Amino acid sequence: MDVRRILCAGLACAIVAGGVAGCGGGGGGSRPVSEQGEEAGERAEETSLKREEASESAKQRELLSEIEARKKEEAGEATAKQTETAAEARVKQREATALADAKKKEQAADANAKKREAAARAQAKKREEAAHAEAKAKTEAARKHSEEAARKQREEAARKQREEAARKRRQQEKRAPAPGQPPVITRP
């Protein structure tokens, strides 16, 4: 900016000097010095303006480049955040699926264990019932055997009593007098 002021001041001086020199009336075919100074001042000003414009353009390009870089960075960060969020969602989904699968497996294992336990109880009950039935059958067989033995004993005792009674009757008949004879009394 200071260069611009200096150039503007130099240009103003050249114009004033040119005006003063032009008033002197003079010369023929060559250009006056003031015109040359004016042209040089204008060229210097144009060069200075071009430099300023180039510098400003470069600054704007740099600023634009920074803005674009910032936008790219922000877009990259947003994309990274979206990717991270999506990855977290996938991880949560996998965890939920794994948890659900584990729960299903656990429930299936529990159901199988309950089935095996029920089958074992049923089999134990069948064995118990079979053992009970066998014990009952043995008890019944023992009872029948005992009753049969008691019946045989009673029959044997009855048979012996009948035989004894028959033997006593035969002995009495042997001792009894013949019909029409007086009885014989024997004393023991």
Side-chain angles (χ1 to χ4, degrees):
M1 292 289 233
D2 291 330
V3 175
R4 193 175 194 183
R5 286 184 189 165
I6 293 171
L7 286 177
C8 286
L11 183 61
C13 287
I15 291 173
V16 170
V20 171
C23 292
S30 74
R31 286 198 277 158
V33 176
S34 64
E35 278 184 29
Q36 288 176 357
E38 231 178 85
E39 284 180 18
E42 284 178 13
R43 273 184 266 144
E45 186 179 347
E46 284 177 12
T47 305
S48 172
L49 285 173
K50 284 182 182 178
R51 283 183 190 154
E52 276 185 39
E53 287 175 0
S55 172
E56 196 171 317
S57 179
K59 284 180 183 178
Q60 287 177 354
R61 279 194 300 271
E62 186 179 327
L63 185 61
L64 183 62
S65 176
E66 286 178 13
I67 291 171
E68 287 176 352
R70 209 176 301 134
K71 283 184 179 178
K72 283 183 183 178
E73 185 179 337
E74 288 172 357
E77 287 175 0
T79 303
K81 190 167 187 171
Q82 286 176 344
T83 303
E84 184 179 344
T85 303
E88 287 175 358
R90 284 193 301 273
V91 167
K92 286 181 181 178
Q93 180 64 34
R94 285 184 193 138
E95 287 175 354
T97 302
L99 185 63
D101 288 346
K103 191 173 183 178
K104 285 180 185 177
K105 286 180 182 178
E106 185 178 338
Q107 288 174 346
D110 286 346
N112 287 339
K114 286 179 182 178
K115 284 179 185 177
R116 284 193 299 271
E117 188 177 319
R121 275 192 305 242
Q123 193 173 14
K125 187 175 180 181
K126 283 181 183 178
R127 282 195 300 260
E128 185 179 322
E129 287 174 354
H132 182 67
E134 185 180 347
K136 188 175 180 181
K138 284 182 180 180
T139 303
E140 185 65 24
R143 186 187 62 77
K144 284 183 180 180
H145 179 70
S146 176
E147 286 177 357
E148 183 67 22
R151 186 187 59 80
K152 283 183 181 181
Q153 241 180 357
R154 284 192 307 270
E155 286 178 358
E156 183 66 24
R159 186 185 60 80
K160 284 184 180 180
Q161 281 180 350
R162 282 191 306 268
E163 283 179 0
E164 184 64 29
R167 186 182 62 78
K168 283 183 179 181
R169 206 178 34 238
R170 277 191 307 269
Q171 276 181 357
Q172 271 186 351
E173 285 176 6
K174 279 186 188 177
R175 284 191 205 154
Q181 287 190 356
V184 177
I185 300 175
T186 56
R187 296 198 182 190

